[in-house]
Amino acid sequence: MQNMKKVIVSAPGKLMLLGEHAVVYNRPCIVTAVDQRMSATLEILESTEFSLEAPDVKITGYKKPLKDLGKGEIPKGAKFVELAVLNFYKKYKIKSGIKITTTSAFAATFGFGSSSASTVCVIKGLSSLFAPKLSNKNLFDLSYKTVLDVQGKGSGFDVAAAIYGGTLYFVTGGKAIKPLAIKNLPLIVGYSGVKADTVTLINQVLTLAKKYPKFIKNTYDQMGILVELARKAMVTNDWQTVGELMNIDQGLLSALGVSGQKLEDMIFAARMSGAYGAKLSGAGGGDCMIAIVPQNSKQSVAKAIETAGVTCMDVKVNAEGARVEK
Ligand code: PMV
């Protein structure tokens, strides 16, 4: 079913609001899509070649025959896209050559989920070039499989945010993906300048869980409770409660050993200058922190975060999910 030669798809990045780490182990989390988008251009080639340009992750002029997809040494920046193509081609028995170019509106270092967003763009793009339209759940399943093929671990929350957009209540592996009706999210995002590696941090928590299984299980249960409470508070715009719940969640994340000095400095700076609450966002160790702030303290909180950290970013949340641009 080949009706187009070229397509451009975009998908949003994400920010974890509450429930990280516990969501890897069958608990819920809340994630919001950010208006910084990843985009991919897909073009059908005459040859039977896979070609990738992804300058944001230092991939230029990367090419291989389709029969070698997934084989040999694959550069880090090419893994998600190459395995996305491999998984899609296998499932739908496609044999056409393809050229893919990805571009990002945000730096991969922010931890906004560029790998998952590009995986989603590629699979959505391939489905509009070759296959019958995939449902969002089909798109999720194939994209999530690709992410697991590359990194072995993860809940899939970032894949869901890239596909569905908005703010989602999400349970591991897509067992629940429920949009939350939230109009405005009074959020500020601070970047720590410290690089975090998600899989390393998941493994670090796993080591702790082997040593203190009962404590960690209880901590995950508590995190799940916070998510359920925050879900209710968010839909009634009770931001003071959401902030309080974030502060408690941050305490639990600290107990898991995934906070860091820079993050703590920024979190405290936010709280001391008027935020309702603040916490790290994502795997921890570095990347970003978030704060929920009353409108009248926005400026003072942003300034305090910037002084303690590296930058404060003006990020719009609740962004639209993956879409075909043209
Ligand atoms: O590091 P990030 O922003 O991709 O967030 C990871 C969140 C975890 O819960 C630790 C992992 C996951 O896949 O849910």
Side-chain angles (χ1 to χ4, degrees):
M1 224 181 74
Q2 213 164 286
N3 49 13
M4 283 188 263
K5 285 259 184 265
K6 179 174 166 177
V7 69
I8 300 174
V9 182
S10 79
K14 55 81 188 139
L15 273 172
M16 176 69 94
L17 299 180
L18 276 115
E20 50 271 86
H21 287 287
V23 69
V24 181
Y25 305 99
N26 274 315
R27 271 76 168 189
C29 76
I30 301 176
V31 57
T32 191
V34 300
D35 71 346
Q36 318 260 342
R37 302 181 79 85
M38 187 80 207
S39 75
T41 304
L42 293 87
E43 291 166 81
I44 296 175
L45 298 176
E46 298 295 332
S47 66
T48 52
E49 212 170 48
F50 164 70
S51 149
L52 175 64
E53 300 294 330
D56 296 316
V57 284
K58 300 189 173 62
I59 301 289
T60 49
Y62 181 69
K63 279 184 187 145
K64 59 173 30 173
L66 289 178
K67 65 176 176 41
D68 292 341
L69 277 177
K71 294 183 189 149
E73 188 71 19
I74 306 172
K76 197 164 169 255
K79 274 188 186 157
F80 288 88
V81 172
E82 182 168 334
L83 291 199
V85 174
L86 176 66
N87 283 335
F88 186 93
Y89 274 34
K90 257 196 195 160
K91 187 165 169 113
Y92 296 102
K93 303 186 175 42
I94 309 292
K95 295 189 165 55
S96 302
I98 191 92
K99 177 177 178 190
I100 299 178
T101 308
T102 60
T103 48
S104 172
F106 53 88
T109 47
F110 287 172
F112 283 171
S114 49
S115 310
S116 309
S118 50
T119 304
V120 166
C121 285
V122 167
I123 295 182
K124 191 172 175 74
L126 291 172
S127 85
S128 74
L129 284 175
F130 298 117
K133 211 173 167 309
L134 300 187
S135 69
N136 275 346
K137 191 62 174 61
N138 298 145
L139 178 57
F140 175 86
D141 290 340
L142 203 53
S143 305
Y144 182 43
K145 174 189 170 5
T146 303
V147 170
L148 289 182
D149 286 349
V150 176
Q151 65 181 35
K153 291 189 168 124
S155 64
F157 80 106
D158 40 7
V159 175
I163 294 171
Y164 295 83
T167 300
L168 305 171
Y169 170 91
F170 175 88
V171 180
T172 327
K175 288 190 195 89
I177 304 177
K178 302 219 165 90
L180 301 185
I182 294 168
K183 284 202 184 71
N184 66 323
L185 195 61
L187 196 79
I188 286 190
V189 185
Y191 176 56
S192 70
V194 181
K195 195 160 165 29
D197 181 62
T198 307
V199 176
T200 307
L201 283 146
I202 292 178
N203 288 336
Q204 196 181 302
V205 177
L206 204 57
T207 308
L208 208 65
K210 281 188 185 135
K211 197 161 176 194
Y212 309 107
K214 204 166 161 190
F215 173 78
I216 300 292
K217 181 195 169 294
N218 286 340
T219 306
Y220 290 156
D221 288 342
Q222 306 283 353
M223 288 172 155
I225 294 172
L226 297 179
V227 167
E228 299 297 346
L229 293 170
R231 175 189 189 177
K232 288 200 189 95
M234 277 182 191
V235 293
T236 54
N237 291 316
D238 181 357
W239 300 112
Q240 184 147 12
T241 300
V242 174
E244 208 164 80
L245 295 167
M246 283 188 172
N247 285 340
I248 303 172
D249 198 28
Q250 172 62 24
L252 298 178
L253 287 161
S254 243
L256 294 185
V258 298
S259 197
Q261 179 155 8
K262 199 76 175 167
L263 286 170
E264 292 288 349
D265 288 348
M266 297 166 81
I267 289 163
F268 270 88
R271 290 177 189 160
M272 303 292 282
S273 55
Y276 288 134
K279 64 181 279 292
L280 65 84
S281 170
D287 285 352
C288 290
M289 54 74 69
I290 51 176
I292 293 283
V293 284
Q295 184 61 31
N296 58 5
S297 335
K298 249 187 153 172
Q299 277 189 342
S300 58
V301 174
K303 202 161 162 241
I305 290 177
E306 217 151 58
T307 310
V310 173
T311 41
C312 204
M313 288 174 285
D314 193 16
V315 176
K316 290 209 175 51
V317 293
N318 230 354
E320 194 188 337
R323 61 178 183 238
V324 173
E325 301 286 351
K326 56 178 170 169

